[in-house]
Amino acid sequence: MEIFLQQIINGLVQGSVYALVALGYTMVYGILGLINFAHGEVVMVGAMLVLSALTAMLGLGVPPLLALPVSLLLAMAGCMLLGYGIERVAYRPLRHAPRLAPLITAIGVSIVLQNLAMMIWGREYHAFPQLINNQPHHIGGAIINDIQIIIVIMAVMIMTGLMAVVHRTRLGRAMRAVAENQHAAQLMGVDINRVISITFMLGSALAAIAGLMVSANYGLAHYYMGFMLGLKAFTAAVLGGIGNLRGAMLGGLLLGLIESLGAGYIGDLTGGFLGSQYQDVFAFFVLIAVLVLRPSGLLGERLAERA
Amino acid sequence: MSFRFVKSLLLAALVLMLASCGKSATDQAAASGDRVVRIGAVAPLTGPQAHLGKDNENGTRMAIDDANAKGIVIGGRKIHFELISEDDQADPKTATIVAQKLVDNEVAGVIGHLNSGTTIPAAKIYSDNGIAQISPSATAVSFTKQGFKTAFRVMANDAQQGQALGEYAVKNLGAKKIAVIDDRTAYGQGLADEFIKAAKAAGGEIVAHEYTSDKSVDFTAVLTAVKGKQPDLLFYGGMDAQGGPMARQLKALALNVKFIMGDGGYTPEFVKLAGVAAEGAYASLPGVPLDKMPGGKAFAERFVAKYQPIQLYAPYCYDAVNVMIAAMQKADSVEPAKYLPALPNISHEGITARIQFDGNGDLKGGAVTLYQVRQGKWQPLETVGADK
């Protein structure tokens, strides 16, 4: 029983991160109908920026509890700039091109970012400094530590905040309007370029936070870390219904749970015939199953909902 | 100045830059009338194992620079060795592509690859073209069992290493219930299989065998599954990039077991990534400790001064190059067809050991040393199994 509870906790923590990254995919898709494959790389850049800022500040003797939020803000600013730049350089000139073209530039941007990061931060793994005591807590035999609790709480807070922005503010209304019909929104006086830029920047800021979470949780950052994470988060977004904010959250959490329960139990269930080497396969198996059975995802690609 | 003009200017500059960096070494040598001999080096220079790949490249480069500085004369002409470094991304498919590329570039020999999974498929291409291949680090048993006359390695293989690890785990560490995780690569899986064989033979029980991949960072699910089986020792067959985070997550899940890895874990990177969780972890490395190697200390000092701290296999790469050059000198030819027959009979005093090959191309008398992390550093425990 405690093993089962532990797998649920593992899945929720992992799923929160997926959900946060998935939001970035889904927001951009909702507005532009474009899969921003460079988003995983933005998460990586976020993690690297936090780490660099943190190392620099700790070196100067800034207390850790001050250095952490400041570096996170710096990284968010850096990622917003990056997100804006990516949209401006790689997507805006192709906005009216066939859909395949921006998809290819997206993959190109992803490769460029990965290699740039390799040149700037090197090929080695960067260890993330342990800033808080990271006390383990026992819940019915299972263990969850401080960082993991913070991850889940922060993810929930950010998602609620984002929902509020999209549904309650002027900006959110503009985003929904652009999602529904770009031309009509423009005629109504919405500056669509500005709305699209802001969407990219919002998604990138979330990516920076996700980057911090991942690297703090696993204690490492690496220029390659964004690739798999991006793919999984994309799967989560599709699972929930791409373009749908609630879907991204649900999809992320579900995917995290499926992975950890799957990897934890498949060996015992199939008598050792299938093993935990299929952990990564679950994500993509789920993707295929969803695309075949319910192409618009669990919550559907509801137009009125998407932002 | 229009945007378009600036763009084409930038492009032209880039093309020039790329064109110039490939050439310089050859031009220099050609100008001075030396004979240029190309030596290929293959390792993953991108991806999760890039830090190890770069380490290999640097070890190889240092040997080649040293040889060039010595001004070696073979067949009556001064030889200028030129390094051609390729990136196989630790991927078996890419490995065969770059192997073919090196063959097309007419290399005299190849140092590599780094991983067993890439070395094995590439070996056929080198064999078909009669090019000597010395791997500094591929330890999977099957590499030298394919019947190729061109395949050699300067490190003990997994049969020797896995056996030492399995016996040590049961006899010295007193493990009774053992869990095994491997990364499903030729290396990780091969080593895990040899470990299991030896541990069972020594009287240990394998209670769980789980799997991950060489690109994963999250092991909480498999570790939780392992925890359910209540083992007292966990063996991981894989590399440091996974081993480090795994050690950390072990502690986070309060899974109190002894943690032991093969040579893939014996790196400073492992200690860095695992943080405090590294303390007490075990790993093995074929060969003797660096400071006990005949020329280890001097090599380490020179290497650090030139590049960065040694990750893992750099000394073995250095030896691999020198063995190859020694065979060329013995045969007095840089033609693969002429110097290849000299390789099996070579006896070279390397910095890692005296290098002699057996009939398969395996290192004779490969010793295996066990290490433990103490106060944040790998410390040698004991060396076993020299002369097997």
Side-chain angles (χ1 to χ4, degrees), chain A residues 2-3 6-7 10 14 115 118 123-130 136 138 141 143 145 148 214 216-220 222-224 228 259-261 263-264 267-268 275-277 279-280, chain B residues 44-51 54 184 209-222 224-225 227-229 240-242 245 248-249 252-254 269 272-273 276 308 311:
Chain A
E2 61 203 59
I3 296 297
Q6 185 71 60
Q7 294 290 23
N10 296 343
Q14 184 73 18
N115 284 285
M118 187 173 87
R123 294 156 208 262
E124 67 269 25
Y125 286 77
H126 300 274
F128 199 87
Q130 197 156 2
H138 295 257
I143 294 170
N145 58 40
Q148 292 173 319
V214 176
N217 190 25
Y218 298 128
L220 81 166
H222 186 242
Y223 76 90
Y224 200 67
M228 203 49 162
E259 271 192 9
S260 71
L261 288 176
D268 291 346
S276 44
Q277 69 265 39
Q279 180 172 16
D280 286 339
Chain B
L45 299 174
T46 55
Q49 292 172 29
H51 60 294
K54 196 69 193 170
R184 294 264 110 181
H209 190 173
E210 296 288 342
Y211 311 92
T212 182
S213 85
D214 59 348
K215 293 180 181 61
S216 300
V217 286
D218 179 60
F219 311 102
T220 47
V222 280
T224 305
K227 193 181 177 187
K229 305 276 169 38
D240 55 353
Q242 279 68 44
R248 218 175 158 120
Q249 289 166 34
L253 288 168
E269 203 79 358
K272 194 171 96 188
L273 292 178
V276 285
Q308 52 196 356
Q311 284 291 347

Side-chain angles (χ1 to χ4, degrees), chain B residues 13 17 34 89 114 140 214 271 292-293 305 308:
Chain B
M17 227 165 70
D34 298 347
Q89 300 166 15
L114 189 153
D214 59 348
V271 180
K292 293 217 177 76
M293 287 175 185
Q308 52 196 356

